Amino acid sequence: MKKIEAIIKPFKLDDVREALQELGLAGMTVTEVKGFGRQKGHTELYRGAEYVVDFLPKLKLEVVVSDEMADRAIEAIEQAARTGKIGDGKIFVGSVERVIRIRTGEEGDEAV
């Protein structure tokens, strides 16, 4: 199994969720996060004073999928989250050794 973590722009969440649901993905975890990459933040004006926003608001999406579904899920996230502008985000993929559903004790693909 693979764990896919995607950092995306907040307004792209619905597009990404719909794309993953079309693949039959059962669930996901979304966390509000802040960070920066090459974008390096930006300056804003508030009550006449200019200040630097170092950490930009993003969403971190986490899903665990079977090895067979991983490439399709990654492609769906990539296409749905892309705006073509700087700050679109990143996708990280790692292996998952074991998954257990707490309620039933099921393991593996059945637990996802």
Side-chain angles (χ1 to χ4, degrees):
M1 285 180 284
K2 301 291 183 198
K3 180 178 183 181
I4 302 169
E5 296 181 39
I7 307 298
I8 64 171
K9 291 182 175 184
F11 68 88
K12 294 303 262 175
L13 177 61
D14 286 337
D15 294 339
V16 172
R17 182 180 45 81
E18 288 171 15
L20 291 174
Q21 283 180 332
E22 286 177 16
L23 292 178
L25 215 71
M28 66 183 71
T29 301
V30 178
T31 310
E32 292 182 7
V33 295
K34 291 183 180 188
F36 69 91
R38 290 184 183 160
Q39 195 174 3
K40 303 254 193 318
H42 62 279
T43 59
E44 289 188 4
L45 201 58
Y46 180 72
R47 294 189 176 182
E50 191 174 280
Y51 65 100
V52 176
V53 178
D54 291 328
F55 294 97
L56 301 173
K58 303 284 184 176
L59 293 179
K60 180 179 179 183
L61 175 75
E62 297 174 84
V63 295
V64 176
V65 298
S66 65
D67 289 332
E68 298 78 33
M69 184 181 263
D71 287 336
R72 289 182 291 159
I74 293 164
E75 186 177 326
I77 294 168
E78 189 176 1
Q79 289 178 359
R82 181 179 290 136
T83 67
K85 297 189 170 98
I86 193 165
D88 274 351
K90 299 267 191 303
I91 299 173
F92 305 96
V93 182
S95 295
V96 174
E97 290 184 32
R98 192 172 176 197
V99 176
I100 302 137
R101 178 174 288 150
I102 295 172
R103 180 178 55 86
T104 63
E106 292 171 302
E107 294 197 30
D109 287 337
E110 295 81 33
V112 178

